[in-house]
Amino acid sequence: MENIDIKMLTVFDEMYRSKSVSRTAEKLDLGQPAISMVLAKFRRHYGDPLFVRTGDGMEPTPLADAIIGPIRQALTTLHLTLQHRASFEPIGSDRMFALCMTDIGQRVIMPKLLTHLRSAAPSVRIDLSYVSERTPKDLESGEVDLAVGFLSGLDAGFFQQGLFSERFVCMVSTRHRRLSGTSLTVAQFESESHLVVATQGTGHGIIDKTLQDLGITRKIGLRIPNFLGVVSNIIDTEYLAIVPYRFGETIVTTNATKLLELPFEVPPYRVMQHWHSRYALDPGLVWLRKTVSELFRES
């Protein structure tokens, strides 16, 4: 391993993350034979298969689990050293940035961001993933560069910047027989069947706490894992869904749905961008955070 370089470490890191030779090759813009060659060198050095084919992809062996931490630490050190005093030129960069946000963020934030990047950084690439329980660890390890949404309980070492305030409204089909008006009562709220989205990063825990504090109940008729299914499950049913206003606003313009104000007060929440202090001075990430702030931050 005397000829080990950053590219080899990066291949191992990406292989551990994606569990796929083809996805690793695609992400790093390399051929699959090149990926296989790097992995073969690691296997010969350690005398271990490192990644074993299973039904869920190429799973790491215990030895791979043991060495991924030091490899990522070495990558971080090397990147920070090489980027010391470096600048970032977005117009000529083809860097891949790893962003993490909710499906709402993908609907509300990404179109405007991508439109901006087409002129400001046309070759910059985005690797998008969902907010999850792993997001804080992914930010700390560098697997995710920036997370946008509502994340609570972050430990020391994380930075965050508020972008805008968000509030909740009700969404129903325009063909709903009993909710034909423009307002909603508590009695109607409690009597209707609700569509509930069980996802992270959207502040929906605020809804549950508010309902509990006010002694208001909702009858859950359907629970779905993300907001991508809200529209299709609302248009042709009589479910009522509580959604963030900006998300609802993008939906009602092109779908047979309408928004109703909640019949009780729910505290708003702040959508923020989050990053880890280990990468606070990375010139590319400084530019990315500044771009997101300029596009979405309310004065």
Side-chain angles (χ1 to χ4, degrees):
M1 297 296 287
E2 63 276 4
N3 294 322
I4 191 170
D5 56 23
I6 292 179
K7 182 176 289 186
M8 291 179 63
L9 295 175
T10 303
V11 166
F12 190 98
D13 181 31
E14 185 58 37
M15 184 67 189
Y16 188 91
R17 181 184 297 110
S18 68
K19 301 179 182 180
S20 166
V21 171
S22 60
R23 287 199 294 271
T24 298
E26 181 180 0
K27 176 70 178 292
L28 300 180
D29 197 22
L30 296 171
Q32 292 189 33
I35 302 299
S36 298
M37 187 179 301
V38 169
L39 295 177
K41 288 182 179 180
F42 276 108
R43 286 169 175 144
R44 287 196 299 271
H45 176 76
Y46 286 106
D48 186 271
L50 296 175
F51 300 97
V52 179
R53 189 176 302 280
T54 71
D56 295 324
M58 299 293 288
E59 290 289 338
T61 66
L63 179 59
D65 286 333
I67 65 176
I68 186 61
I71 284 178
R72 285 177 173 168
Q73 185 175 8
L75 274 172
T76 298
T77 301
L78 288 169
H79 282 307
L80 291 177
T81 300
L82 293 174
Q83 291 168 356
H84 184 63
R85 298 185 181 277
S87 60
F88 178 77
E89 298 296 336
I91 197 67
S93 175
D94 65 350
R95 180 169 173 175
M96 174 83 80
F97 290 102
L99 299 187
C100 182
M101 61 183 66
T102 64
D103 43 0
I104 293 179
Q106 295 179 32
R107 181 78 182 242
V108 173
I109 291 176
M110 287 307 299
K112 186 175 181 179
L113 177 59
L114 292 176
T115 297
H116 174 79
L117 293 181
R118 275 201 297 270
S119 58
S123 297
V124 159
R125 299 169 294 157
I126 302 295
D127 182 8
L128 202 57
S129 61
Y130 285 116
V131 171
S132 70
E133 294 179 352
R134 283 192 50 84
T135 298
K137 290 184 178 179
D138 289 341
L139 285 169
E140 184 175 7
S141 69
E143 291 186 35
V144 169
D145 295 316
L146 190 67
V148 179
F150 179 80
L151 303 181
S152 59
L154 293 178
D155 297 328
F158 289 91
F159 291 120
Q160 59 186 21
Q161 180 186 37
L163 297 176
F164 55 84
S165 293
E166 185 59 286
R167 64 187 182 91
F168 292 105
V169 293
C170 285
M171 178 186 292
V172 297
S173 169
T174 55
R175 296 187 287 270
H176 198 297
R177 293 171 298 171
R178 293 174 301 282
L179 300 178
S180 57
T182 59
S183 60
L184 183 69
T185 67
V186 172
Q188 289 173 319
F189 181 90
E190 292 188 310
S191 64
E192 295 295 331
S193 290
H194 289 248
L195 182 157
V196 173
V197 182
T199 189
Q200 293 184 317
T202 61
H204 263 68
I206 299 173
I207 293 290
D208 294 330
K209 185 177 187 307
T210 299
L211 294 177
Q212 182 178 3
D213 291 345
L214 296 177
I216 297 175
T217 60
R218 59 176 166 178
K219 183 170 53 178
I220 299 176
L222 175 65
R223 191 186 301 273
I224 59 177
N226 56 59
F227 281 88
L228 298 178
V230 168
V231 180
S232 59
N233 287 297
I234 284 288
I235 289 179
D236 297 319
T237 70
E238 294 190 334
Y239 287 128
L240 183 156
I242 299 177
V243 301
Y245 175 74
R246 281 176 173 79
F247 171 77
E249 195 176 32
T250 66
I251 298 300
V252 298
T253 56
T254 56
N255 295 276
T257 58
K258 63 180 180 180
L259 302 180
L260 304 174
E261 294 294 335
L262 287 164
F264 46 84
E265 291 291 329
V266 177
Y269 65 95
R270 292 284 286 170
V271 174
M272 300 186 176
Q273 58 175 340
H274 308 262
W275 66 96
H276 197 271
S277 58
R278 293 175 64 190
Y279 312 100
L281 300 181
D282 180 308
L285 299 187
V286 170
W287 168 83
L288 178 63
R289 297 193 301 266
K290 184 173 184 286
T291 297
V292 171
S293 176
E294 290 175 347
L295 289 175
F296 300 103
R297 191 178 185 190
E298 294 175 335
S299 57

